[in-house]
Amino acid sequence: MGKSRLEAFSDGVIAILITILVLELKVPRGIDAQALRPLWPVFATYVMSFVYLGIYWNNHHHMLHAVHQVNGRILWANLHLLFWLSLVPFVTGWMGENHFAPLPTAVYGAVLLLAAISYTLLQNTIVAHEGAQSTLAAAVGRDWKGKLSMLLYLLAIPLAFVHRGIAVGLYWLVAAIWFIPDRRIESRLAR
Amino acid sequence: MGKSRLEAFSDGVIAILITILVLELKVPRGIDAQALRPLWPVFATYVMSFVYLGIYWNNHHHMLHAVHQVNGRILWANLHLLFWLSLVPFVTGWMGENHFAPLPTAVYGAVLLLAAISYTLLQNTIVAHEGAQSTLAAAVGRDWKGKLSMLLYLLAIPLAFVHRGIAVGLYWLVAAIWFIPDRRIESRLAR
Amino acid sequence: MGKSRLEAFSDGVIAILITILVLELKVPRGIDAQALRPLWPVFATYVMSFVYLGIYWNNHHHMLHAVHQVNGRILWANLHLLFWLSLVPFVTGWMGENHFAPLPTAVYGAVLLLAAISYTLLQNTIVAHEGAQSTLAAAVGRDWKGKLSMLLYLLAIPLAFVHRGIAVGLYWLVAAIWFIPDRRIESRLAR
Amino acid sequence: MGKSRLEAFSDGVIAILITILVLELKVPRGIDAQALRPLWPVFATYVMSFVYLGIYWNNHHHMLHAVHQVNGRILWANLHLLFWLSLVPFVTGWMGENHFAPLPTAVYGAVLLLAAISYTLLQNTIVAHEGAQSTLAAAVGRDWKGKLSMLLYLLAIPLAFVHRGIAVGLYWLVAAIWFIPDRRIESRLAR
């Protein structure tokens, strides 16, 4: 079965999620600079979640690029990833409106962790389908970036209760690690 | 006429519906675990509706895969299916916010039933167009899964007034039946 | 220039509009049949607007099917059509929540009229680009369906102030005229 | 790497943004002409933002048309553009609901300026990838339209505090400059 509809559906869902995020930025009542001030934490989380969804879209794009065919198992592994990503606007709103309070910040990390796990499951499902000799299998390798990210989320979640800055800093660190799309796949494909 | 725009439009509508669902999860005011508690029934219905829309997308994907051309009749049968699916976020919100009260739970089942009927109508319209010898006609066969689902919905709707757990259990049972995408089509196509 | 992105963008906008419509169906507070009763006029307008957007999508699909290339002028004529369609959720909500009060019902008709005019303009722009000998020019012919629709809207708008039923009846009449997608194009293409 | 998913994702995001705009047009309570009056400034900003997003979509369409392949850097430059565009509904709502008050009108211009800068960055990234001899590089040339637009935004932002009409007039002037899609690319491609 072709992969075009899987790509189109995932593009659609991620495009909508990234746009729904902005609905959390409620239009303020006032018309002076004061009116914008309470929006800063919401705006800061908006930027972070936008970057995260952008990273997922980029990596999804790269991963699917190395895929030739999909099956029912891959469709569901993909929906599983989309499920956790679909909770990003909710946790973004909760964390942003509460100025990075401990529990919302920890739950935000938990959703990121579950998205990372589901991404890894999708990747493994595709590798199992494509075979250990495939471009994707070679490009992913031992997937240290994926494992490091999950470790950092696991650290950040309890640390959100110590100091919000540590957790948020770790989330940005993971984003920075992934900011550059998976060069491994681009370079493998170039050969 | 080609089927690509029918697929793209359906992907778009289902992607938006699956994402609009999450808007029912309103950001809570509090910042402790208590604040999340009232969200559990809403979250549980969210998961169920997400799975249902995922099933419809998967099966739609599989069904259209076996189709070569579409006509005006198929376009309308498809819009009819999308109409009933478009009511899913509404009934999800109503059932979730009211903790699976009898009437909302029955209406949720009625919408699922009407979606199932419209899916069957779409399937029949396509089979009529493709011919009785087509891959799809052979794959669908006597469609016992479709008929069983409708029977279970018909049981669940009155039973929602007896005990909410029975109706919700039956909805999950139907979801489980369909969880695996239509292997019949995959295996027919493989020949 | 190819037409695929024009199709994809229009599919996206119409898919979102048709789904945003359902947001006007606000989840009721009560859990009995009484709670649903005030929703009936909103639901009735929802059905009508869903059918109208479905008709536009179908006809757009058919029209673009007969097109080979697009230019900047066609892109803007298409955006102009999408602009008037984008107001459909707004007027649907206004008419539905006010139980088909005269002014909202007339404004609903005015938006339908402007959408019909912009559709005709798009059609003329494409015919001008494709040439008078094109499949589309032959299929459209003297476009009596388009002209009749506009006449009926022009009748319905003032009659909304006489009796709401007349205007709504005329809107449904136009929908019925267009319900069957443009056979002319299908039959022309079949030759 | 192919450009089709980049196009599809951008189409999706811009289609959603252009449709989310209309959610700022809140359904009025009254049913007479008075009820519509307070909506005029919101409607006027809606039209302006619709035209701006239409212009960005058209130009994006034209620019990508001249592109053959994309890389990770282009994906991020494109997401950067989408980020600033995603703030358009927010600033549209703020400016419209406050009848073009100085600060909201200036912030609207600032978002347009940042979108213009990110569009230029995307253009430069693509030209760097395609090479100085490419169709796009030749079509863009010295990009006086892009530079003039940014200059006009820079003028409009402080002038919003002098008189709202000047800033809004300048925004419409920039829109008028871009209304005709980039003929340069069309004519270059025609050779």
Side-chain angles (χ1 to χ4, degrees):
Chain A
M1 226 177 295
K3 65 179 175 176
S4 60
R5 277 192 79 182
L6 178 67
E7 291 182 334
F9 185 72
S10 309
D11 284 354
V13 171
I14 301 176
I16 299 157
L17 289 173
I18 222 169
T19 325
I20 273 183
L21 275 180
V22 85
L23 297 180
E24 297 296 334
L25 273 179
K26 306 272 162 50
V27 172
R29 297 235 162 163
I31 58 166
D32 50 7
Q34 294 281 37
L36 288 180
R37 199 167 295 166
L39 283 176
W40 277 112
V42 183
F43 185 72
T45 51
Y46 174 61
V47 174
M48 187 157 78
S49 295
F50 192 98
V51 169
Y52 260 105
L53 289 175
I55 287 168
Y56 271 103
W57 180 73
N58 266 1
N59 287 336
H60 193 272
H61 184 160
H62 278 74
M63 182 161 66
L64 265 292
H65 197 252
V67 169
H68 302 95
Q69 284 209 317
V70 298
N71 60 9
R73 204 177 291 269
I74 293 173
L75 296 186
W76 275 110
N78 192 60
L79 275 165
H80 182 230
L81 169 63
L82 295 178
F83 176 78
W84 293 112
L85 293 182
S86 80
L87 295 179
V88 167
F90 171 76
V91 291
T92 301
W94 200 32
M95 183 167 77
E97 284 177 22
N98 294 294
H99 298 222
F100 303 94
L103 185 68
T105 305
V107 171
Y108 185 90
V111 167
L112 289 184
L113 175 62
L114 288 157
I117 291 171
S118 63
Y119 188 84
T120 307
L121 288 175
L122 172 60
Q123 194 170 260
N124 294 348
T125 311
I126 293 175
V127 166
H129 186 61
E130 294 273 310
Q133 310 304 320
S134 63
T135 311
L136 185 65
V140 168
R142 301 176 62 184
D143 193 24
W144 68 266
K145 275 170 88 172
K147 283 172 188 154
L148 178 60
S149 309
M150 289 188 245
L151 188 71
L152 291 172
Y153 292 138
L154 278 173
L155 274 170
I157 293 168
L159 289 171
F161 296 94
V162 178
H163 192 288
R164 56 191 76 178
I166 304 172
V168 174
L170 286 170
Y171 300 154
W172 274 114
L173 179 62
V174 176
I177 293 173
W178 286 101
F179 191 72
I180 297 149
D182 230 330
R183 285 279 160 89
R184 301 170 298 182
I185 295 173
E186 276 193 47
S187 59
R188 280 272 159 190
L189 284 168
R191 290 185 202 174
Chain B
M1 225 177 295
K3 65 179 176 177
S4 60
R5 277 192 79 181
L6 178 68
E7 292 182 334
F9 185 73
S10 309
D11 284 355
V13 171
I14 301 177
I16 299 157
L17 288 173
I18 221 169
T19 325
I20 273 183
L21 274 180
V22 85
L23 296 179
E24 297 295 333
L25 274 179
K26 305 272 162 51
V27 172
R29 296 234 162 164
I31 58 165
D32 50 7
Q34 295 281 38
L36 288 180
R37 199 166 297 165
L39 284 175
W40 277 112
V42 183
F43 186 72
T45 51
Y46 174 61
V47 174
M48 187 156 77
S49 296
F50 191 99
V51 169
Y52 261 104
L53 288 175
I55 287 168
Y56 272 102
W57 181 74
N58 266 0
N59 288 337
H60 192 272
H61 184 159
H62 277 74
M63 182 161 65
L64 265 291
H65 197 252
V67 169
H68 301 95
Q69 285 209 316
V70 298
N71 58 9
R73 204 177 291 269
I74 294 174
L75 296 186
W76 276 110
N78 191 60
L79 275 165
H80 182 228
L81 169 63
L82 295 178
F83 177 79
W84 294 112
L85 293 182
S86 80
L87 295 179
V88 167
F90 171 77
V91 291
T92 301
W94 200 33
M95 181 167 78
E97 284 176 23
N98 293 296
H99 298 221
F100 303 94
L103 185 68
T105 305
V107 171
Y108 185 90
V111 167
L112 289 183
L113 175 62
L114 288 157
I117 291 170
S118 63
Y119 188 84
T120 307
L121 289 174
L122 172 60
Q123 195 171 259
N124 293 349
T125 310
I126 294 176
V127 166
H129 185 62
E130 294 273 312
Q133 309 304 321
S134 63
T135 312
L136 185 65
V140 167
R142 302 178 59 185
D143 193 23
W144 68 266
K145 276 170 87 171
K147 284 172 188 154
L148 179 60
S149 308
M150 288 188 245
L151 188 71
L152 291 171
Y153 292 138
L154 278 173
L155 273 171
I157 293 168
L159 288 171
F161 297 93
V162 178
H163 193 288
R164 56 191 77 179
I166 304 172
V168 174
L170 286 170
Y171 301 154
W172 274 113
L173 180 62
V174 177
I177 293 172
W178 285 101
F179 191 71
I180 297 149
D182 230 329
R183 283 281 160 87
R184 301 170 296 183
I185 295 174
E186 275 193 46
S187 59
R188 280 274 157 186
L189 283 168
R191 290 184 203 172
Chain C
M1 224 177 296
K3 65 179 176 178
S4 60
R5 275 191 80 180
L6 178 67
E7 292 182 333
F9 186 73
S10 310
D11 284 354
V13 171
I14 300 176
I16 299 157
L17 288 173
I18 221 170
T19 326
I20 273 182
L21 275 180
V22 86
L23 296 180
E24 297 296 332
L25 274 179
K26 306 272 162 50
V27 172
R29 295 232 162 164
I31 58 167
D32 50 10
Q34 294 281 38
L36 288 180
R37 198 166 299 167
L39 284 175
W40 277 113
V42 183
F43 186 72
T45 50
Y46 175 61
V47 173
M48 186 157 77
S49 296
F50 192 98
V51 169
Y52 261 104
L53 288 175
I55 286 167
Y56 272 103
W57 181 74
N58 265 1
N59 288 336
H60 192 272
H61 184 160
H62 278 74
M63 182 163 64
L64 265 291
H65 197 251
V67 169
H68 301 96
Q69 284 208 317
V70 297
N71 59 10
R73 206 177 290 268
I74 294 174
L75 296 186
W76 276 111
N78 191 61
L79 275 165
H80 182 229
L81 169 64
L82 295 178
F83 177 78
W84 294 112
L85 293 181
S86 80
L87 295 180
V88 168
F90 171 77
V91 290
T92 302
W94 199 33
M95 182 167 78
E97 284 176 22
N98 294 297
H99 298 222
F100 302 94
L103 184 68
T105 305
V107 171
Y108 186 89
V111 167
L112 288 185
L113 175 62
L114 288 158
I117 291 170
S118 62
Y119 188 84
T120 307
L121 288 175
L122 172 60
Q123 196 170 258
N124 294 348
T125 311
I126 294 175
V127 167
H129 186 61
E130 294 272 312
Q133 310 303 323
S134 63
T135 312
L136 186 65
V140 168
R142 300 177 61 185
D143 194 24
W144 68 267
K145 276 171 87 170
K147 284 172 189 153
L148 178 61
S149 309
M150 287 187 246
L151 187 71
L152 291 171
Y153 292 139
L154 278 172
L155 274 171
I157 293 168
L159 288 171
F161 295 94
V162 178
H163 192 288
R164 57 191 75 180
I166 303 172
V168 175
L170 286 171
Y171 300 154
W172 274 114
L173 179 62
V174 177
I177 293 173
W178 286 101
F179 191 71
I180 297 148
D182 229 331
R183 283 280 161 87
R184 302 170 295 181
I185 295 174
E186 276 192 47
S187 59
R188 281 273 157 187
L189 283 168
R191 289 185 204 174
Chain D
M1 225 177 297
K3 64 179 177 178
S4 59
R5 276 191 80 181
L6 178 67
E7 291 182 333
F9 185 72
S10 309
D11 285 354
V13 171
I14 300 176
I16 299 156
L17 288 173
I18 220 170
T19 326
I20 274 183
L21 275 180
V22 86
L23 297 180
E24 297 296 333
L25 274 179
K26 306 272 162 51
V27 172
R29 296 236 161 161
I31 58 166
D32 49 9
Q34 294 281 36
L36 288 180
R37 199 167 296 168
L39 283 175
W40 278 112
V42 183
F43 186 72
T45 51
Y46 174 61
V47 174
M48 186 157 77
S49 296
F50 192 99
V51 168
Y52 261 105
L53 288 175
I55 287 167
Y56 271 104
W57 180 74
N58 266 0
N59 288 336
H60 193 271
H61 183 160
H62 277 75
M63 181 163 65
L64 265 291
H65 197 252
V67 169
H68 301 96
Q69 284 210 317
V70 299
N71 59 10
R73 205 177 292 268
I74 293 173
L75 296 186
W76 276 110
N78 191 60
L79 275 165
H80 182 228
L81 169 63
L82 295 178
F83 176 78
W84 293 112
L85 293 182
S86 80
L87 294 180
V88 168
F90 171 76
V91 290
T92 302
W94 200 31
M95 183 167 76
E97 286 177 21
N98 293 295
H99 298 222
F100 303 94
L103 185 68
T105 305
V107 171
Y108 186 90
V111 166
L112 289 184
L113 174 63
L114 288 157
I117 291 171
S118 62
Y119 188 84
T120 306
L121 288 174
L122 172 60
Q123 195 170 259
N124 294 348
T125 310
I126 294 175
V127 167
H129 186 61
E130 295 272 310
Q133 309 304 322
S134 63
T135 312
L136 185 65
V140 168
R142 300 176 63 184
D143 194 23
W144 68 266
K145 276 170 87 171
K147 283 172 190 154
L148 178 60
S149 309
M150 288 187 245
L151 188 71
L152 291 172
Y153 292 139
L154 279 172
L155 275 171
I157 294 168
L159 289 172
F161 295 94
V162 178
H163 192 288
R164 58 190 76 178
I166 304 172
V168 174
L170 286 171
Y171 300 155
W172 274 114
L173 179 63
V174 176
I177 293 173
W178 285 100
F179 191 71
I180 296 148
D182 230 330
R183 284 280 161 87
R184 301 170 296 182
I185 295 174
E186 276 192 48
S187 60
R188 280 272 158 190
L189 284 168
R191 291 186 202 174

